[in-house]
Structures are given as structure tokens and as C-alpha cells.
Amino acid sequence: MQMKPSVVAFGDNVVDCYMDQEMMYPGGNSLNLATFVQRFGGRGSYIGAVGDDPAGLHIRDALMGEGVDVTGLRVLPAGSTAFCLIGNRDGDREFLGADLGVSIIEPQLRDLDQIARADAVHTGRSSHVDAFLPAFAVRARLSFDFAVIRNRDRIARIAALCYLASFSAGDLGDDEAKDLLEFALASGARHVLVTRGKEGAWLGLGDQRHHQPAVPTQAIDTLGAGDTFIARTLFGLLMGEAPRDVLSVAAFAAAETCRHHGGFGHPAALAVDCSKARPLDEIYGPGETATA
């Protein structure tokens, strides 16, 4: 693998709106991953869509400031940028609602061409592009964030295409998390990452299973920590690092993300129409909300 692996992240973006601060931060799994790959020394590219509004222009400017390739970013004059409203209940983060705006898009031929020139492509549950994953996977190594998807049929279909399949399993016990890892590997995923918050993370490949304890930190905000872990794991695997080293460095990187607000910083004054927000169950489906 070349010294600076290239990763194209396709799909979801939002501005995360902290209601108690009246501030917004660029975010979303795919957007965060492209940024973190760039920060880790790779070449991060982002393909997605934002509105031609203050929130969308802030996302664009933040990505450019981070050095992320935004040639695939669509700034659309009609429609608004996606957002997620975040509250604070007794010190705990609470997702209050969201609006997807113009963020859900289908890949164009030029997007597929860009993916074909990359070492890997990343997307996930929040991007709503399951139908296009086979086209992604034949062009580059596919990284997919399942988040809290538990449907075994869907996992089996997608995992068969994956270079890296990632799951968030803070809601599961240790045995359940291990079973999820084994199922995804048996379904065909080359590498499977299962993050469990304070309980650490598991990485499986072939007959190897590696566990990484969580790194203690003075957490200010955990938003983006899981995306950091996925990004550093993907980067490390593409670099040919040893699995234990991959997990260790990823855990420290995720802990560092918890030390500031927002996925990767870049605060701005809140500038969205909060009245457009819908409950997360309407967006993700019952049992698969971003709060898990």
C-alpha cells in the first residue's frame, strides 16, 4: 500500500446543533471519516450534498480548511443542509431530532470514477445507499458503518462486500458483541470492528480476534469518537499496520476526540430552521436510532 492511502467517503453529513450552546459543528459519519483520514496522514475525499445556506457553506469551508478533497461536494441552491439537534440532560447528550435536508443522494458516474481511483470507499447506514454498495465494492475496498443495525439478513448482504465492517455495540453484552463480530466475519467481511464505548473494542480478521480496552480520558463530548475509531482503523489496515497496533492507536485517537465539542471542531453560530426537525425513529426506524 502506498504511504498515503486515499479514501473516498460518500454520503451523510449534518451540522450537529448543540442547543444549549446555540452553536453548530460539521458532522455525520461519512463527513467525519473523510476528515479524520486526512488528519491521520491519508488523502481524504468527501462526496455528498449540502444546501447553499450558512450551514452548508460552513461544512464546505471546514472541509477545505482540513485539506479534504471536496471536488465531489454538491452545493445545491434548492433545499437545506441536514442537521441534528442535540440537547443536554443532566450532563448527558440527548438527540432531539433531525432533518436530512438534501444530504441523501445517489452516486453519479463521476462519483464512481472517483471511487475507482481510491484505495477505499467508506459509507454507512446513515447514507441510505445499500442499493449502490455492489458498485462501490467492485471499484475500491468497501468500509461500511452498520452503526446499530442488527437485522441479520441485511448484515449478511452487506458484510459479504466489506473490506471493513464496523458496528456500534455499546448496547450489547460482551457475548452478544462477539456473536455479532463472528456473524459478520462468517458472512464474508474481511475485517470486522465492534466498538463498545467504555468497554473498548474488538477487531476480527481471519482466525484472529483482538480486544482493545478503552483509553481513559476527561471526556467533554463523545460525539465523533466512534467515527474517529473507524477512520483510524481503516487507515491503519490500509497502511498494513499490525491489528493490535491499529486498535491501540485508534483508541487513543477516539479518546482525544472526546476532549472537545463536535466531531472535529469548527464551531459556528446556530443557523438552521429547527422547526423542520423530525423524531429520529422516523428517520432511522425503531430500534436503529443514532442514540444507541
Side-chain angles (χ1 to χ4, degrees):
M1 181 57 61
Q2 60 192 347
M3 289 305 295
K4 298 186 74 172
S6 59
V7 178
V8 173
F10 184 98
D12 69 303
N13 69 77
V14 296
V15 282
D16 290 309
C17 301
Y18 289 60
M19 305 306 289
D20 57 338
Q21 301 178 23
E22 296 188 355
M23 302 293 287
M24 62 183 184
Y25 298 78
N29 172 253
S30 293
L31 185 83
N32 287 342
L33 188 127
T35 303
F36 285 121
V37 164
Q38 186 71 26
R39 285 188 175 183
F40 294 142
R43 292 180 292 148
S45 301
Y46 177 68
I47 299 174
V50 297
D52 185 12
D53 53 22
L57 298 180
H58 181 58
I59 284 176
R60 182 200 62 188
D61 292 346
L63 288 173
M64 293 176 65
E66 292 285 340
V68 175
D69 177 3
V70 294
T71 56
L73 178 65
R74 306 169 196 173
V75 180
L76 305 178
S80 57
T81 300
F83 66 84
C84 182
L85 304 182
I86 300 173
N88 187 318
R89 178 183 292 182
D90 299 325
D92 290 330
R93 186 182 65 194
E94 181 182 19
F95 291 94
L96 305 176
D99 179 67
L100 298 181
V102 297
S103 67
I104 305 306
I105 60 171
E106 296 184 359
Q108 299 175 352
L109 181 59
R110 64 179 182 180
D111 302 327
L112 297 176
D113 289 343
Q114 184 175 353
I115 289 169
R117 295 191 297 272
D119 296 308
V121 56
H122 175 85
T123 189
R125 178 277 308 259
S126 297
S127 298
H128 302 274
V129 290
D130 286 18
F132 303 100
L133 296 179
F136 288 4
V138 298
R139 288 170 169 81
R141 298 171 182 85
L142 175 64
S143 168
F144 189 87
D145 178 24
F146 286 86
V148 293
I149 291 174
R150 302 289 182 255
N151 181 284
R152 292 298 176 103
D153 289 340
R154 189 177 178 193
I155 291 171
R157 288 195 305 271
I158 298 173
L161 304 170
C162 287
Y163 174 76
L164 174 63
S166 301
F167 296 86
S168 176
D171 60 317
L172 301 182
D174 197 46
D175 289 342
E176 293 174 303
K178 290 178 182 177
D179 180 64
L180 187 62
L181 181 148
E182 297 298 337
F183 181 79
L185 284 172
S187 297
R190 184 169 172 183
H191 306 87
V192 178
L193 174 67
V194 179
T195 59
R196 299 189 59 224
K198 295 180 180 179
E199 300 302 319
W202 285 92
L203 178 64
L205 61 153
D207 59 359
Q208 300 180 49
R209 306 292 181 269
H210 302 279
H211 180 258
Q212 171 65 44
V215 173
T217 187
Q218 293 293 321
I220 295 174
D221 181 16
T222 60
L223 195 69
D227 298 338
T228 308
F229 210 119
I230 295 170
R232 188 56 183 81
T233 299
L234 177 60
F235 176 81
L237 293 173
L238 292 172
M239 288 287 290
E241 297 173 356
R244 287 194 180 279
D245 294 338
V246 168
L247 280 179
S248 176
V249 178
F252 276 95
E256 183 61 29
T257 295
C258 294
R259 295 174 64 85
H260 60 75
H261 289 293
F264 57 94
H266 295 272
L270 188 65
V272 301
D273 182 357
C274 297
S275 68
K276 293 182 178 179
R278 294 186 292 141
L280 296 186
D281 278 352
E282 292 184 11
I283 295 174
Y284 293 100
E288 291 192 0
T289 68
T291 59

